[in-house]
Amino acid sequence: MIFPIVLYGSPVLKKKAATIERGDEFLGKLVESMFETMYEAQGVGLAAPQISHSVRLFVVDTTPIEEEGIDGLKKVFINPLMIEELGEEWAFEEGCLSIPGIRANVNRKAGIRIKYYDENWGEYEDHFYGIKARVIQHEYDHIEGKLFTDYLTPLKKRLIKGRLADISKGKVDVNYRVKAPK
Ligand code: NI
C-alpha cells in the first residue's frame, strides 16, 4: 500500500519515534508499504514517521545514487541503535521526500557502526561507510525527530524560510502523494 508522505511542519516529523514490539503482526505489511512508498516517490530512504507511523523503522535502497560498479544497499532497519559514528566529516548534498525541492550540504562523519533488527527479528551489527552511511544517518535522524534542515546555518535557514513555509502549506510540485500539516 502506498502511503502519502507527510510534509515539513508535520508534528510527527519532530517526534522521537517509539520502539517496535516484537510480535507486531502488522510489521511485515508496514515494511512492504514502506518500500512501495519509497520507490513510488523515487527516494533512496524512507522512515516510518514520514508516513505518519511514529515507530523506529526505516528502509533504504541506495542503488540509484551509488557510483557505477558499486552495489547499492537495500535494507530494513528495525529498532536501530547507532553505536558510533567515526571518521572525518564530509559534506554531501542531502534532500528529503518530506522537504521537496530543497537540497543542502550537510556535514556528517564518514562511517557508522549500527545495531538493528530485520523484519524477521534477526539481529545485526554492521559498519557502513560513504553514501550508505549517509543515507542511514539521515533516516536515523528521522526516527529521532530530526531533519537535515536542523543542521543548516542561520543564514541558509533564513534563505529557505519562505520555501519551507510553502511546503508546510502543501505548495509542492511532486509526483507522489503528500500530506501537509493541518
Ligand atoms: Ni528525509
Side-chain angles (χ1 to χ4, degrees):
M1 183 182 166
I2 293 167
F3 284 87
I5 293 176
V6 300
L7 293 175
Y8 182 90
S10 304
V12 69
L13 294 177
K14 300 302 283 177
K15 234 172 99 178
K16 197 175 153 108
T19 300
I20 297 176
E21 298 293 333
R22 205 182 266 247
D24 183 329
E25 55 179 320
F26 300 109
L27 185 58
K29 200 78 209 149
L30 182 58
V31 168
E32 198 182 299
S33 296
M34 295 271 304
F35 275 111
E36 278 181 60
T37 304
M38 178 179 79
Y39 289 132
E40 175 74 11
Q42 296 188 307
V44 295
L46 184 73
Q50 293 180 277
I51 57 164
S52 304
H53 284 62
S54 191
V55 294
R56 303 182 76 77
L57 157 66
F58 59 81
V59 298
V60 306
D61 186 350
T62 66
T63 309
I65 55 168
E66 296 286 357
E67 279 174 52
E68 231 184 284
I70 296 178
D71 283 340
L73 176 76
K74 181 184 174 184
K75 217 175 238 311
V76 181
F77 292 81
I78 291 164
N79 293 345
L81 178 70
M82 192 70 82
I83 298 167
E84 60 173 339
E85 297 183 87
L86 39 136
E88 294 283 304
E89 286 201 349
W90 66 301
F92 182 79
E93 196 180 54
E94 296 188 21
C96 182
L97 294 174
S98 295
I99 317 175
I102 294 181
R103 304 190 66 84
N105 272 327
V106 177
N107 290 312
R108 300 187 196 261
K109 288 190 172 173
I112 59 167
R113 192 151 67 90
I114 189 167
K115 232 177 90 170
Y116 58 96
Y117 296 89
D118 66 12
E119 66 272 46
N120 303 309
W121 293 101
E123 194 180 359
Y124 301 87
E125 187 181 315
D126 282 326
H127 284 92
F128 296 104
Y129 298 93
I131 295 279
K132 296 175 176 71
R134 173 62 63 141
V135 174
I136 294 166
Q137 286 163 320
H138 176 112
E139 299 310 326
Y140 191 87
D141 271 355
H142 272 301
I143 62 170
E144 291 289 302
K146 226 163 158 186
L147 299 170
F148 82 86
T149 45
D150 295 339
Y151 295 99
L152 304 182
T153 62
L155 172 65
K156 177 78 183 171
K157 269 186 198 156
R158 212 157 62 230
L159 289 172
I160 63 172
K161 206 176 155 206
R163 278 196 288 155
L164 287 175
D166 282 347
I167 292 170
S168 66
K169 287 176 200 141
K171 291 184 201 159
V172 294
D173 181 19
V174 291
N175 297 318
Y176 49 91
R177 276 173 67 211
V178 295
K179 194 176 149 197
K182 282 270 152 15

